Amino acid sequence: MYLRPSDSAAPLRLPTQRKRDLVDHFEANSDELARWREFNAAYHQDDFKFMRFLIPPGKRVLELGCGRGDLLVALEPSYGVGVDFGAKTIAKANELHPNLYFVLGDVEDPATLSLIEGPFDYIVIADTIGMFEDIDATLRLVHHLCAPSTRIIISYYSHLWEPVLKLAEMLNLRAKQPRINYIATADFLNLMDLADFEVISQEQRQLLPRRWLGLGPFINRFIAPLPGIRKLCLRTYLVGRPVRLFPDRKFSASILIPCRNESGNIEDAVRRMPRFGSSQEILFVEGNSSDDTFAECERVRDAYKDSWDIKVLKQDGKGKGDAVRKGFGAASGDVLMILDADLTMPPEALPKFHAVIETGKAEFVNGTRLVYPMEQEAMRPLNLIANRFFAYLFSYLVNTRLTDTLCGTKVLLRKDYEALARERSYFGNFDPFGDFDLIFGAAKQNLKIIETPIHYKARTFGETQISRFRDGWLLLKMVWFAYRKLKAI
């Protein structure tokens, strides 16, 4: 039942005394709770700001336990639905936010969720999951409102803060709260697993939920997200996705090969390319080489035109990042793949990357050269040490274990890349490599990221185009850039 301001909202018949007590508490104290929200404005503003970071505007959003709808309206959804079990609360939400839809009902009741029209891009459970009586069963109920790309976001208070929050109530620094379940993150992870949701990332925020002459916002932005310290934060945010596999799904593939001064590898890239997917195209993007790479790309295209769909493009700008953007912009396949023209990542390994995406195991696949033994001289020792150091930093920054961010092979769905490209303005044109534009964009889009190990080979033609110290300095700048954009929100 979608309620509008003209609808009457009779109180619900709730099945347990605990739920009836919860409704009575929130309904009787709604005005007082609104005043407390103003008193603790710094805390709520930071919370809303981070939720807007997780959920871009213009999405289809469902909030379970929406209260008066303040968070829902702050997310600026294209289609927003809120559910709450308080009749007066829902009536107030309608009065305040007539452009949204509100359902009076118990989110743990299947009949309530059956009234809602899905699917949604995001399902939000903010500070209400501790009131549920059967968390994993309730999470299972929302599967019918999910598409494979739906993200569920759960925010809650850290159980470590329970004594602090109780003390704040005693000192009249916080509104009196009904009894809720303070649940550890490890338990939430287990409950989501039971409900067939996979946690993509988790983040902690707010070490000091007060302004205190600007000290609070500074600490919360720059200090609270640091490793170790963040475990002490008040707020935890989990981002998950429904677990769904598609063993029979078939996708076409576009294999992008950026190439500069690689004339000796062009034909081998095609000759060694395996067949996979429902169809394939190969896109060479040539980067203004000093040798005859562009002419060789055209020769190979014409020589293999009867057996391969090959396109040859020339870069307008400089750097691999520019080549990736040009090639992906011209690609037509369902799955976009990068293969470095030096062929140190064997083309024969591409089918397993494609299979990860095709079956739904992940939405962004990054190759890693640091699992299997490498061929001699495939990677210089100093490069190997630097790769491992930066892998630790970038794993922390994107909340996903990454061992080799600079492996050139990266694979994702074209529809996800297009969404990433539409929101590229958040990061700007910052990445000459092309790797971090994709990795950071995938993290910002809450894509499921996974690494696939490869057997890294030594070059058979040409010389490496990596400058250890120049590129190492650029990587350090990337770390600071990512910290500001992904952590110090």
Side-chain angles (χ1 to χ4, degrees):
M1 173 173 54
Y2 292 87
L3 296 180
R4 309 309 305 164
S6 60
D7 295 334
S8 62
L12 287 176
R13 288 187 174 183
L14 294 167
T16 66
Q17 186 60 48
R18 178 172 180 259
K19 288 189 176 182
R20 291 191 288 271
D21 290 342
L22 286 170
V23 169
D24 291 343
H25 171 84
F26 289 115
E27 298 278 69
N29 297 283
S30 60
D31 292 335
E32 181 186 356
L33 291 171
R35 288 193 293 272
W36 276 107
R37 291 183 71 87
E38 294 179 7
F39 179 76
N40 292 308
Y43 160 78
H44 292 291
Q45 287 171 7
D46 189 280
D47 179 53
F48 281 19
K49 189 173 185 178
F50 191 69
M51 291 295 281
R52 287 194 296 267
F53 168 78
L54 293 174
I55 304 175
K59 302 297 184 180
R60 294 171 58 90
V61 181
L62 168 66
E63 184 181 4
L64 303 181
C66 63
R68 295 185 173 191
D70 296 333
L71 173 59
L72 190 59
V73 75
L75 297 175
E76 301 178 28
S78 60
Y79 173 61
V81 178
V83 184
D84 202 280
F85 56 15
K88 293 179 181 178
T89 301
I90 286 290
K92 189 65 176 179
N94 271 304
E95 177 186 334
L96 294 172
H97 314 299
N99 59 318
L100 301 176
Y101 298 89
F102 294 99
V103 176
L104 175 63
D106 180 0
V107 300
E108 297 193 81
D109 181 1
T112 296
L113 297 185
S114 69
L115 299 172
I116 299 173
E117 302 166 10
F120 291 88
D121 300 313
Y122 291 87
I123 297 175
V124 177
I125 307 175
D127 293 324
T128 55
I129 199 163
M131 303 177 193
F132 293 175
E133 296 189 351
D134 194 338
I135 294 175
D136 56 308
T138 304
L139 291 175
R140 281 194 292 272
L141 290 178
V142 305
H143 271 281
H144 80 281
L145 298 171
C146 297
S149 59
T150 297
R151 294 297 177 261
I152 184 167
I153 297 180
I154 302 174
S155 61
Y156 54 94
Y157 299 115
S158 167
H159 71 289
L160 298 176
W161 277 70
E162 183 176 1
V164 177
L165 296 175
K166 293 293 185 184
L167 179 61
E169 290 181 33
M170 293 172 58
L171 297 176
N172 203 32
L173 296 174
R174 181 173 184 252
K176 298 295 183 183
Q177 300 292 317
R179 193 175 64 154
I180 64 171
N181 302 312
Y182 285 87
I183 301 173
T185 297
D187 295 321
F188 271 128
L189 299 179
N190 181 58
L191 289 166
M192 291 185 73
D193 188 38
L194 288 172
D196 292 325
F197 280 97
E198 177 182 27
V199 175
I200 296 172
S201 67
Q202 64 181 79
E203 191 61 86
Q204 292 81 34
R205 303 281 302 178
Q206 298 215 47
L207 195 61
L208 186 60
R210 303 290 297 171
R211 290 197 185 280
W212 283 8
L213 301 176
L215 181 63
F218 176 82
I219 289 176
N220 290 333
R221 183 177 181 189
F222 294 104
I223 308 300
L226 292 173
I229 295 176
R230 61 181 177 164
K231 294 184 181 297
L232 302 176
C233 287
L234 169 61
R235 300 288 286 162
T236 300
Y237 301 83
L238 297 181
V239 180
R241 69 167 188 155
V243 176
R244 295 182 185 175
L245 296 181
F246 304 92
D248 300 321
R249 188 164 65 176
K250 298 298 180 184
F251 282 148
S252 59
S254 295
I255 302 104
L256 166 65
I257 306 178
C259 48
R260 183 173 182 272
N261 297 328
E262 300 283 3
S263 60
N265 289 323
I266 301 302
E267 186 164 14
D268 268 353
V270 176
R271 185 177 55 81
R272 293 172 54 187
M273 185 67 65
R275 298 282 184 177
F276 58 91
S278 59
S279 64
Q280 292 167 267
E281 66 174 356
I282 299 173
L283 300 98
F284 289 105
V285 181
E286 194 276 328
N288 302 301
S289 305
S290 58
D291 65 6
D292 62 344
T293 297
F294 185 73
E296 177 65 3
C297 289
E298 292 188 313
R299 184 193 71 78
V300 169
R301 176 196 61 196
D302 296 339
Y304 289 85
K305 64 182 179 182
D306 292 333
S307 54
W308 286 99
D309 178 9
I310 299 176
K311 297 182 176 69
V312 178
L313 308 171
K314 184 178 269 294
Q315 272 185 253
D316 304 307
K318 294 181 179 180
K320 181 181 174 182
D322 177 76
V324 169
R325 288 188 287 274
K326 187 177 184 70
F328 279 1
S332 60
D334 300 315
V335 178
L336 305 182
M337 319 182 77
I338 303 173
L339 174 68
D340 283 344
D342 59 15
L343 304 186
T344 53
M345 201 301 288
E348 294 84 357
L350 288 175
K352 68 177 182 178
F353 285 80
H354 186 268
V356 171
I357 298 290
E358 198 171 52
T359 58
K361 292 179 181 177
E363 294 150 325
F364 183 95
V365 190
N366 184 69
T368 176
R369 302 163 290 180
L370 305 180
V371 173
Y372 301 133
M374 302 180 189
E375 284 190 353
Q376 189 175 7
E377 298 182 358
M379 184 180 293
R380 291 173 288 184
L382 189 59
N383 290 26
L384 181 61
I385 293 171
N387 266 336
R388 294 197 182 278
F389 170 71
F390 284 111
Y392 168 78
L393 292 178
F394 287 117
S395 295
Y396 151 70
L397 290 167
V398 301
N399 289 322
T400 300
R401 175 171 166 76
L402 293 174
T403 61
D404 190 9
T405 54
L406 288 180
C407 179
T409 302
K410 291 172 172 59
V411 180
L412 73 165
L413 284 169
R414 181 159 57 91
K415 70 177 184 64
D416 289 330
Y417 175 76
E418 289 169 350
L420 181 156
R422 284 194 299 270
E423 298 182 22
R424 186 174 276 136
S425 59
Y426 178 77
F427 295 104
N429 186 14
F430 71 99
D431 178 20
F433 299 104
D435 299 287
F436 299 104
D437 176 61
L438 297 176
I439 291 174
F440 297 165
K444 178 68 171 64
Q445 292 289 325
N446 297 309
L447 300 185
K448 168 64 176 178
I449 301 173
I450 200 169
E451 282 196 321
T452 295
I454 63 167
H455 291 278
Y456 190 53
K457 305 295 184 181
R459 268 183 173 269
T460 58
F461 173 85
E463 298 180 354
T464 181
Q465 298 177 41
I466 296 174
S467 170
R468 284 179 291 180
F469 298 106
R470 181 195 65 207
D471 292 344
W473 172 243
L474 282 173
L475 284 174
L476 286 173
K477 292 199 293 185
M478 290 291 172
V479 170
W480 173 240
F481 178 85
Y483 184 75
R484 289 189 297 111
K485 290 292 188 178
L486 296 174
K487 295 295 185 183
I489 309 302

